[in-house]
Structures are given as structure tokens and as C-alpha cells.
Amino acid sequence: MPIRQNVGNLDFVYTLSPVAARIWALLDGTRTVEAVIETISTEYDVTRETAQADAEELLSDLAGVSLITQLP
């Protein structure tokens, strides 16, 4: 997905893996991070710890490029 400037500027393209894309889809403003982690853990049959580590890394990356912000 383009994140800066215009669609043709490949310096600002952020690519998501299938799991990351699923987490992105779950970040709809109604679910808590805990709910997203539980969903990923169940859907991908991974431990909660693995899902949490992966989600936290992705969320940190997304916040770092201003694609997400934490709701109050």
C-alpha cells in the first residue's frame, strides 16, 4: 500500500504479509489489541505468545510510519 506522496512513488510502499494483512483488517477501531491477538492465535493456530509478538512488532512498525495511532 502506498503510504506517502503518490501511488507511483515506490520509496513509500508498505507491503503486508497475509498475516499482517489480516491484523490490518482487524484493526477497525472496535477491537482491542488483545482481541486481535486472540483472533490471530485462533485463525492461524499459533500460540498466544507468538501471535502477540508478531502483532506487537507489526503495530510498532505501522505506528512508526504513521499508519496507525492508538485510540484514547
Side-chain angles (χ1 to χ4, degrees):
M1 77 181 68
I3 59 171
R4 301 266 194 273
Q5 310 291 324
N6 60 50
V7 181
N9 188 341
L10 296 181
D11 291 334
F12 299 102
V13 173
Y14 199 91
T15 303
L16 300 175
S17 70
V19 175
R22 180 64 178 136
I23 292 172
W24 174 262
L26 293 168
L27 296 174
D28 61 3
T30 65
R31 293 177 181 86
T32 65
V33 171
E34 291 301 317
V36 170
I37 290 167
E38 288 301 320
T39 299
I40 293 301
S41 176
T42 301
E43 288 183 2
Y44 290 89
D45 194 28
V46 296
T47 65
R48 188 190 179 293
E49 292 76 19
T50 297
Q52 181 174 352
D54 290 348
E56 287 176 354
E57 182 178 353
L58 175 65
L59 296 176
S60 177
D61 290 348
L62 293 174
V65 293
S66 301
L67 288 175
I68 61 169
T69 58
Q70 185 173 356
L71 295 175

